Amino acid sequence: ELNFTKWSQLNNTFYECRKLHTIDKIIIPNCTSIASDPFYNCIALAKIVFEGVILANISLAYSPLSKDSITSVINALSATATSKTLTLKKSAVNTAFGIDVDDETTYPAGTEFYNLRHSKDNWTFSYV
């Protein structure tokens, strides 16, 4: 369990941690910016739990996150922040939810991913 008093304390924390698979819990403060990408090239990160509210852009673009982990990060996104982006690995989302994020017909209204994604319509979602 990691408890950060400032979101900026996460700067480069897991940078290039290519073998990191699990982070049991990250407790984050309500901060509005982050100077760098703490999860850059975390190519094995599949399990992570967030506690707190994410108010800053966040990228987990390299990580093959599990369904529970994707759900955790989306649930932690601020419901009021604007002009913020969550970046996820496209193949992780597709595998976790059995969908194709490029084809909205694979997750129509009322489906699990649709409801999760649209619970944070104030955020831009990017899939790479």
Side-chain angles (χ1 to χ4, degrees):
E1 184 172 300
L2 302 169
N3 190 348
F4 294 92
T5 58
K6 296 179 181 176
W7 187 238
S8 62
Q9 288 179 320
L10 268 173
N11 289 349
N12 298 320
T13 304
F14 306 104
Y15 187 88
E16 294 278 348
C17 289
R18 295 173 185 231
K19 294 183 180 181
L20 178 65
H21 179 269
T22 301
I23 300 173
D24 291 329
K25 185 188 294 183
I26 292 183
I27 302 170
I28 53 175
N30 296 336
C31 295
T32 58
S33 65
I34 184 167
S36 67
D37 184 356
F39 304 102
Y40 177 79
N41 219 12
C42 290
I43 60 174
L45 183 60
K47 296 180 181 179
I48 187 169
V49 173
F50 287 91
E51 183 178 299
V53 178
I54 299 171
L55 292 162
N57 295 326
I58 183 168
S59 176
L60 291 148
Y62 297 93
S63 303
L65 298 176
S66 68
K67 185 178 187 178
D68 287 343
S69 297
I70 294 167
T71 300
S72 178
V73 70
I74 293 173
N75 285 337
L77 299 175
S78 167
T80 58
T82 58
S83 302
K84 302 298 179 191
T85 300
L86 167 64
T87 303
L88 296 169
K89 184 172 184 153
K90 184 186 298 189
S91 62
V93 175
N94 289 344
T95 299
F97 290 91
I99 63 169
D100 177 354
V101 294
D102 293 327
D103 179 0
E104 291 185 18
T105 66
T106 65
Y107 55 99
T111 60
E112 184 176 20
F113 185 73
Y114 178 93
N115 291 341
L116 182 63
R117 163 60 190 97
H118 290 288
S119 70
K120 300 298 164 88
D121 278 338
N122 55 310
W123 282 74
T124 298
F125 281 57
S126 174
Y127 309 102
V128 294

